[in-house]
Amino acid sequence: MTTTTTTVKSEKEAQKDRSQARQKEMIANHFKKLARAKEDGKKVVYTFVPGNLAELISALDMLPVLPEINALQSGMRKRSGAFIQEAEKAGHSEDVCTYVKCDLGMLKKGNIGPTDEPLPPPDLLLLSYTGCFTFMKWFELLREEYKCPVVMLHVPYQAGGEITQEMRDYVVAQLRDEVIPVMEKVAGKKLDMKVLQQHLALSRTAEDALVQVWESARHRPSPIDGYFGGVYYVGPIFSSFRGGQDAVEYYKELLEETNDRISKGLGPMTPDGVMPKEKYRLVVEGPPNWTNFYDFWRMFSREGATIVSSTYTRVGGLYDTGFRHDPDKPMESLADYCLGCYTNLNLPSRIDLLEKYIKDYQADGFLINSVKSCNSFSVGQLLILRQLEERTGVPGGFIESDLVDPRYFGKANIENRVQSYLQMLEARRNGGR
Amino acid sequence: MEPTGGAPGRTAADPAADVLEKARVLAEDLALNTVKAWKQKNPGMLAIGHLPVYTPRVMFEAMGCLPVAVFGAGEIDIIKGDSYFQSYICHIPRSTVELGLGGQLDVLDGMVFPSICDVIRNLGGMWKLMFPAKMSAYLDLPQNFAWGLGGRFYMGELKRIAAETEKRGARPLTEEGLRRAIKAENARRRALAELDALRREEPHKARASEAYLVARAGGVMLAEEHEKLIREFLAAARKRTGRPMDNVRVVVAGSFCEQPPLGLIKTLEKAGCDILEDDFQLGLRMIDGDIELKDGMPALESLARAFTERGRDTASRYVPDDTKGQALIRRVKECKADGVVFAAASFCDPALLDQPMLEHALTRAGIPHTSFKFAENTGQFQVIREQAGAFSDSVRLWGGQAA
């Protein structure tokens, strides 16, 4: 087994696909637009990734800011530790979500975004309360800071394992009676349903392409990494770009790259270039660590471990079970989108989905990265581990870290666990137990 | 001998000693012997457990069920429960699982998991998998309080859970049954309000640690019986002749889900705090005032409206307007408290995320406050006693400037 601790390249030195470069440019442009928002007369909406209403925001010609994305970007840029400490100095508990503290710390330090440009304050906090209670507290905290309007969209939880008509009706009624009127008031214009439908149609096109990219991992070797690479793949569709032409172009290019790798029998792009040999196929549950993202990725890629599917990449929309935004049913499909995000699924449904991924993608194993910050993900993961092993016979691994608090990423400890886990898979493959 | 002030209920002659002992046995009944006895007396009737914070117990009573509060397991050793949760998860899910796997909850026919946080929500999903033969219902309390939106949704939730409970053998939910149960519930609520008033006005007669036991005992009782117990305590406590102590008057906030150990509450009292109000058993006080029954309005709508229109501000409930902390300040003023003690369970996201906002609101209002964390199985109180003592002294001496 090779060691992964030598000559770790920085993020800047990591090799990237064309689509990644395109995405970087898209993001840079978006943050430039945000920096100019006030002078351009654009209204700014802060909102969350799961259950985000990107099409509504763009149909009203507003610009979204996603605090989770800012937090994870701060993590990747090694700034989150200082931001978190800033929030803790201001009285926030060490026990709570580090995304929240990172965002509050960033705000207290001038709200400079990931591209080093200032982020505009929100004209509206659009609280899509989907799959995470902390979101509610987060925007209550931001409301204290910004003193701007907040509109809440309460998305019921899929406790029974399905979206019922009552749930859909409730979400649609809130959209119709509260969310859209408040957004229209802030935007200073009425929602044009035809424009919304155009955005929804563009979403659907991008979603079709993304699903093809996900499903390419059925190939051996998998041409994609569905977790570490996957977080790049979902970047545009989870954030500011869903419903726009840029996202359609991005996913077209991503799919072309993926198909090109399939035709050449190539594995996924990793920080060290194309993975030379696929030795292990894994499914991962739980968000990644962002403070040491590339170290974390290399712990797998340098051992020939490809993540063929993951659940984190479904938090902003679960498309590979069939959902698509539908221009013919705009409100209903926005509701179903919000209701269907991964963290809005109950625990039995999450286990069913993981089991499906393990089987569909012929995984050798599955790994749970349990993050301290996120109770929505983490509570129940040890039961998920047991249940999945029982149902599939595939061995599971369990590691712990955090989203953006560098104090909770024990590199040596995690690396030891990952290596031991992969050694165990190797031993099983060779007939050992 | 009558208690001579400050700490009644500790001598044989204390008029409240018997009722307090009765309450203690009920409050500490983790084996649910009371529930077993109730089921023996009422063959075929269901006992339905519920997690904190708020579940409309009255609906289950209307269906002939005994609602049972499952609010953790205090200081018992956790062996199996710990293997299901990471170290950074709060304590109540692990003690609940411990009780479940240990068989103490076998007497329950179902469990209700109200939507208060991600932990209790996911615990509901775990329950479905771990105890598949039992009813496991998630109650999605609305966060939108407009009647035509959240109110309507909530009515649907109540009907759904009532139907699920009926399928398990409960009596159907009828208008007449619900009205009767609401009347009993309102009577209990008035008794609780009287108890709260006594604590505020004569805290030396009814201490928080005693009110806690009396309130928590209601977790395994029907409202009507609980009302009798509260009134029995009230009658006894009013007979006490102790005199007020030179304590500071505080409100305790943040303990609405995982319950602090009784020893911790007593520690605060020993440190010189009269706890005039708290959120320890918030579910019983979640609605301000009565559940109003009106002619022409279905009782279920009355119940739902009581929550959407008069639900108490707490961390698990969205505060739509920019009034964060105002409800707490109002309570502090109403009970003429000197300050606030924040006591949140470790790793309790709602309480701990809420706390800075509440602290800022109190600071702006010039109300002193202090904070600490606990777990339901916390066994060492010395540090808390010193902190609370310092807070109490500083409030007494300097009006909280040094707090």
Side-chain angles (χ1 to χ4, degrees):
Chain A
M1 184 139 303
T2 58
T3 175
T4 63
T5 55
T6 55
T7 60
V8 172
K9 292 176 186 173
S10 70
E11 180 190 351
K12 283 181 185 165
E13 293 168 299
Q15 295 196 35
K16 290 175 180 169
D17 279 323
R18 282 192 323 275
S19 58
Q20 273 180 279
R22 176 191 281 270
Q23 184 177 158
K24 195 172 178 183
E25 198 181 316
M26 287 161 65
I27 291 169
N29 286 339
H30 181 67
F31 279 100
K32 277 194 186 109
K33 280 188 203 168
L34 285 171
R36 290 198 316 265
K38 296 298 166 195
E39 57 192 272
D40 291 349
K42 294 273 189 184
K43 299 295 182 186
V44 174
V45 180
Y46 283 24
T47 195
F48 293 111
V49 169
N52 78 70
L53 301 168
E55 297 83 0
L56 265 180
I57 293 169
S58 51
L60 285 163
D61 207 20
M62 299 159 104
L63 291 172
V65 170
L66 296 131
E68 303 127 289
I69 304 283
N70 295 339
L72 75 86
Q73 292 270 5
S74 296
M76 292 183 89
R77 295 160 70 85
K78 311 287 185 197
R79 293 176 180 175
S80 55
F83 290 155
I84 289 165
Q85 284 177 16
E86 188 71 22
E88 288 178 357
K89 268 196 288 183
H92 294 273
S93 169
E94 65 271 25
D95 288 0
V96 302
C97 173
T98 54
Y99 267 178
V100 178
K101 287 186 287 187
C102 182
D103 186 41
L104 293 169
M106 189 175 97
L107 168 60
K108 292 193 183 301
K109 289 281 192 185
N111 220 21
I112 305 300
T115 54
D116 291 329
E117 289 165 296
L119 288 172
D123 297 293
L124 175 69
L125 295 170
L126 172 50
L127 171 48
S128 57
Y129 178 72
T130 300
C132 171
F133 281 85
T134 296
F135 287 160
M136 187 172 90
K137 308 318 295 176
W138 193 339
F139 269 17
E140 283 180 350
L141 284 158
L142 287 192
R143 182 178 61 192
E144 299 268 311
E145 301 287 342
Y146 290 116
K147 310 288 182 202
C148 71
V150 188
V151 64
M152 143 80 89
L153 176 66
H154 175 207
V155 177
Y157 184 60
Q158 279 198 51
E162 61 176 353
I163 297 172
T164 64
Q165 191 58 43
E166 288 78 14
M167 293 175 180
R168 186 178 292 119
D169 290 346
Y170 177 37
V171 177
V172 167
Q174 289 177 86
L175 288 170
R176 185 190 60 221
D177 295 353
E178 290 191 346
V179 176
I180 292 173
V182 171
M183 290 178 75
E184 287 177 331
K185 191 175 171 193
V186 173
K189 64 191 287 190
K190 296 295 282 182
L191 175 68
D192 183 333
M193 201 51 82
K194 283 187 183 155
V195 175
L196 175 63
Q197 288 172 311
Q198 285 162 9
H199 286 291
L200 291 168
L202 291 172
S203 293
R204 186 166 62 180
T205 304
E207 289 156 3
D208 282 339
L210 175 64
V211 171
Q212 290 181 65
V213 171
W214 288 146
E215 292 183 345
S216 72
R218 293 170 194 263
H219 288 268
R220 283 177 185 265
S222 168
I224 62 161
D225 183 288
Y227 184 56
F228 297 106
V231 300
Y232 287 97
Y233 307 156
V234 295
I237 213 158
F238 276 15
S239 60
S240 319
F241 304 102
R242 200 183 69 226
Q245 190 59 40
D246 279 351
V248 172
E249 297 301 324
Y250 168 82
Y251 286 102
K252 187 171 167 235
E253 181 164 21
L254 178 63
L255 184 57
E256 284 168 3
E257 278 174 1
T258 306
N259 288 334
D260 185 49
R261 281 205 288 273
I262 292 171
S263 68
K264 292 174 181 164
L266 294 176
M269 181 64 82
T270 77
D272 300 317
V274 175
M275 183 186 281
K277 186 170 184 232
E278 178 184 284
K279 285 175 69 181
Y280 311 103
R281 296 166 65 83
L282 304 178
V283 167
V284 173
E285 146 76 13
N289 163 270
W290 300 107
T291 57
N292 295 66
F293 182 78
Y294 284 90
D295 290 337
F296 195 25
W297 189 347
R298 285 186 172 101
M299 288 179 198
F300 295 87
S301 63
R302 288 185 174 178
E303 301 294 348
T306 299
I307 315 303
V308 286
S309 192
S310 64
T311 50
Y312 174 70
T313 51
R314 274 65 168 175
V315 292
L318 191 53
Y319 302 109
D320 49 352
T321 53
F323 170 77
R324 296 289 185 279
H325 282 92
D326 184 351
D328 294 330
K329 295 178 183 169
M331 292 299 127
E332 289 80 357
S333 77
L334 284 172
D336 282 3
Y337 161 73
C338 295
L339 288 157
C341 293
Y342 177 71
T343 45
N344 207 47
L345 306 185
N346 72 358
L347 218 67
S349 301
R350 284 170 62 186
I351 295 172
D352 290 345
L353 187 68
L354 278 158
E355 182 183 3
K356 175 179 156 54
Y357 286 159
I358 289 167
K359 289 178 176 167
D360 286 358
Y361 293 99
Q362 296 168 32
D364 303 305
F366 69 92
L367 189 100
I368 295 175
N369 182 37
S370 177
V371 295
K372 172 185 169 287
S373 274
C374 188
N375 286 342
S376 178
F377 258 105
S378 299
V379 174
Q381 281 179 327
L382 286 160
L383 183 62
I384 290 177
L385 179 78
R386 293 172 196 212
Q387 294 256 331
L388 275 179
E389 284 190 334
E390 278 173 23
R391 287 194 200 180
T392 64
V394 167
F398 199 89
I399 53 176
E400 291 180 286
S401 65
D402 188 49
L403 295 167
V404 289
D405 192 335
R407 295 171 296 190
Y408 294 96
F409 188 84
K411 187 180 171 195
N413 182 30
I414 292 171
E415 192 162 30
N416 280 343
R417 283 199 179 202
V418 170
Q419 290 202 355
S420 301
Y421 176 67
L422 295 177
Q423 282 168 357
M424 184 267 288
L425 289 185
E426 187 67 30
R428 281 172 62 104
R429 185 175 282 168
N430 294 331
R433 295 296 299 172
Chain B
M1 191 175 93
E2 287 286 327
T4 54
R10 294 291 171 269
T11 66
D14 176 12
D18 288 347
V19 62
L20 278 174
E21 178 56 17
K22 203 187 307 180
R24 187 193 62 75
V25 169
L26 290 165
E28 294 176 359
D29 181 17
L30 294 179
L32 299 183
N33 291 321
T34 320
V35 180
K36 287 172 195 157
W38 181 87
K39 284 186 81 170
Q40 274 182 348
K41 263 195 213 168
N42 298 276
M45 298 287 113
L46 307 185
I48 304 293
H50 64 88
L51 274 285
V53 177
Y54 173 72
T55 294
R57 295 170 58 94
V58 64
M59 185 178 84
F60 294 98
E61 290 199 22
M63 300 177 75
C65 305
L66 176 65
V68 179
V70 180
F71 283 13
E75 296 171 42
I76 66 161
D77 287 337
I78 304 298
I79 299 159
K80 295 172 184 165
D82 273 344
S83 67
Y84 285 84
F85 299 97
Q86 300 90 319
S87 57
Y88 49 81
I89 309 290
C90 57
H91 203 267
I92 189 169
R94 50 190 92 229
S95 60
T96 307
V97 165
E98 186 77 17
L99 291 174
L101 292 175
Q104 286 98 320
L105 305 182
D106 286 355
V107 67
L108 301 179
D109 300 284
M111 288 274 271
V112 177
F113 297 84
S115 59
I116 60 157
C117 71
D118 295 323
V119 175
I120 300 299
R121 185 195 71 182
N122 287 13
L123 181 62
M126 292 174 69
W127 217 259
K128 279 181 194 288
L129 294 163
M130 296 174 75
F131 305 98
K134 302 273 182 170
M135 171 181 133
S136 170
Y138 181 72
L139 171 61
D140 215 339
L141 295 163
Q143 296 290 358
N144 183 311
F145 307 112
W147 178 250
L149 300 170
R152 183 177 295 178
F153 170 75
Y154 184 39
M155 286 274 283
E157 279 292 282
L158 294 176
K159 285 178 185 168
R160 176 182 64 78
I161 291 176
E164 207 173 330
T165 313
E166 191 185 333
K167 268 190 211 160
R168 298 276 173 162
R171 290 202 299 252
L173 181 65
T174 62
E175 179 67 19
E176 189 193 349
L178 186 55
R179 280 184 177 264
R180 196 167 46 238
I182 286 175
K183 282 176 189 164
E185 174 63 23
N186 283 341
R188 179 238 297 267
R189 298 165 59 75
R190 284 182 212 126
L192 270 173
E194 282 183 43
L195 174 58
D196 292 341
L198 182 64
R199 281 172 61 190
R200 282 196 299 273
E201 289 152 21
E202 296 179 278
H204 58 288
K205 289 192 175 175
R207 310 225 72 194
S209 51
E210 297 167 341
Y212 174 80
L213 284 177
V214 172
R216 187 155 181 183
V220 289
M221 304 169 86
L222 295 174
E224 194 176 343
E225 292 166 27
H226 190 209
E227 186 215 346
K228 284 181 196 159
L229 182 84
I230 299 166
R231 294 207 176 279
E232 190 183 340
F233 173 73
L234 278 168
R238 282 173 180 141
K239 286 182 192 157
R240 286 169 162 169
T241 56
R243 50 188 161 66
M245 295 182 77
D246 182 23
N247 285 343
V248 294
R249 297 163 60 86
V250 302
V251 170
V252 174
S255 314
F256 46 83
C257 178
E258 187 172 319
Q259 298 293 287
L262 188 62
L264 191 152
I265 303 171
K266 288 181 177 172
T267 295
L268 292 178
E269 291 169 345
K270 284 177 190 161
C273 298
D274 280 337
I275 304 169
L276 309 173
E277 191 171 316
D278 56 66
D279 51 11
F280 301 148
Q281 295 288 314
L282 182 59
L284 294 173
R285 302 172 172 95
M286 190 72 187
I287 292 158
D288 283 334
D290 276 1
I291 300 163
E292 291 173 349
L293 288 168
K294 292 179 182 168
D295 290 341
M297 181 186 285
L300 195 66
E301 183 176 333
S302 298
L303 179 62
R305 279 187 185 272
F307 178 80
T308 57
E309 294 169 5
R310 284 178 289 111
R312 185 165 148 182
D313 279 4
T314 185
S316 58
R317 181 183 169 104
Y318 180 58
V319 177
D321 306 314
D322 187 17
T323 54
K324 203 74 201 172
Q326 295 312 304
L328 178 59
I329 291 170
R330 210 164 37 244
R331 282 199 292 279
V332 168
K333 288 183 176 166
E334 278 168 8
C335 64
K336 299 186 178 71
D338 302 306
V340 172
V341 174
F342 289 101
S346 293
F347 302 109
C348 175
D349 266 354
L352 292 169
L353 285 161
D354 226 33
Q355 194 171 301
M357 292 182 275
L358 302 180
E359 286 173 335
H360 290 159
L362 292 177
T363 301
R364 284 195 296 268
I367 298 168
H369 51 87
T370 189
S371 66
F372 58 80
K373 291 187 289 186
F374 70 87
E376 61 178 341
N377 64 341
T378 297
Q380 296 293 327
F381 306 121
Q382 187 56 30
V383 174
I384 290 171
R385 182 171 184 164
E386 285 167 10
Q387 186 182 339
F391 177 71
S392 157
D393 289 345
S394 70
V395 169
R396 261 193 301 237
L397 292 172
W398 302 294
Q401 290 151 6

